[in-house]
Amino acid sequence: SSVVCVILAGCSASTSEEVPAVPGRVDPVLPSALARDTVVSVGSQVWEQPLGASVTDSIQIQHTATAYQVVAALADGSGYRVVTGQLADGAILGSFNATPDVAWPVFAETGGGLLSFGVLGGSDASANRVVAFLPDGQQRWSVSARDLGALQDSTLATEFAMSDRVVVRANPLQPNPYRYAPMWVLDAATGQVVIGRMSMSDAS
């Protein structure tokens, strides 16, 4: 059975003398993501939690300050396993299987609790909708593409979520620069539109 693990890791770096590009001149010290010759040591495993299903290597892990969510493709191709738990000890708070027509969700801790925001696909604007899922898979709210005023041939996508907002983008099937794709900001707890249709070009 597949498991999700949390591991504490530490880094130590060895230093080496920097040689200036031009003799006699002191070059500025530039910031770096990792020091040269960095050695990463594996720490101790904190906890391990079975996912309760046979899954593939296609896995997405997200977390808030107190909780985690793992989304993994089921080995039999029937969809995804979504597991939500406590970050401190790994205890599972809820889990459910999602069908393949549910796009990979984004995860946030909102005023309505822990929610996953995914998109249910469909052949028309009323079926194509954003859905907020509780950890056990129950739907807190849903908003259709038609409700948002998206074009008939648009598919919705959840871009990201935070404590009180979720950003939804429409992806028209006809060729269209990404920056012109319409977006909406929804209240994460209720699904109500906070900011109506706009595009990335509107903010530039």
Side-chain angles (χ1 to χ4, degrees):
S1 174
S2 300
V3 298
V4 58
C5 301
V6 166
I7 294 187
L8 293 177
C11 295
S12 61
S14 64
T15 59
S16 59
E17 183 179 354
E18 296 292 337
V19 179
V22 179
R25 187 185 75 187
V26 178
D27 290 339
V29 177
L30 300 177
S32 174
L34 286 176
R36 186 179 301 173
D37 301 327
T38 295
V39 176
V40 178
S41 58
V42 177
S44 302
Q45 180 173 308
V46 178
W47 53 259
E48 179 177 301
Q49 183 62 253
L51 296 179
S54 178
V55 301
T56 71
D57 292 334
S58 183
I59 294 175
Q60 175 192 74
I61 300 176
Q62 300 179 75
H63 68 88
T64 68
T66 62
Y68 69 86
Q69 183 177 89
V70 177
V71 183
L74 293 169
D76 62 5
S78 62
Y80 307 98
R81 180 72 170 170
V82 182
V83 177
T84 303
Q86 295 178 162
L87 201 57
D89 59 8
I92 291 179
L93 300 173
S95 62
F96 64 96
N97 288 353
T99 56
D101 62 344
V102 178
W104 291 76
V106 295
F107 178 58
E109 187 166 359
T110 74
L114 295 168
L115 293 174
S116 304
F117 306 96
V119 172
L120 294 175
S123 58
D124 58 60
S126 61
N128 184 15
R129 57 182 55 245
V130 179
V131 180
F133 295 99
L134 293 167
D136 63 358
Q138 296 297 311
Q139 293 186 21
R140 169 60 63 87
W141 54 258
S142 70
V143 177
S144 71
R146 179 174 295 162
D147 295 335
L148 297 175
L151 297 177
Q152 180 72 21
D153 60 353
S154 294
T155 56
L156 300 178
T158 48
E159 291 287 282
F160 63 89
M162 58 189 77
S163 61
D164 59 350
R165 299 288 185 264
V166 56
V167 176
V168 177
R169 176 176 57 84
N171 183 27
L173 297 182
Q174 70 268 21
N176 193 18
Y178 181 89
R179 66 181 181 275
Y180 296 121
M183 297 187 296
W184 298 263
V185 178
L186 308 183
D187 183 286
T190 66
Q192 294 295 313
V193 175
V194 177
I195 299 177
R197 179 170 174 161
M198 59 181 232
S199 68
M200 293 179 68
S201 60
D202 295 335
S204 60

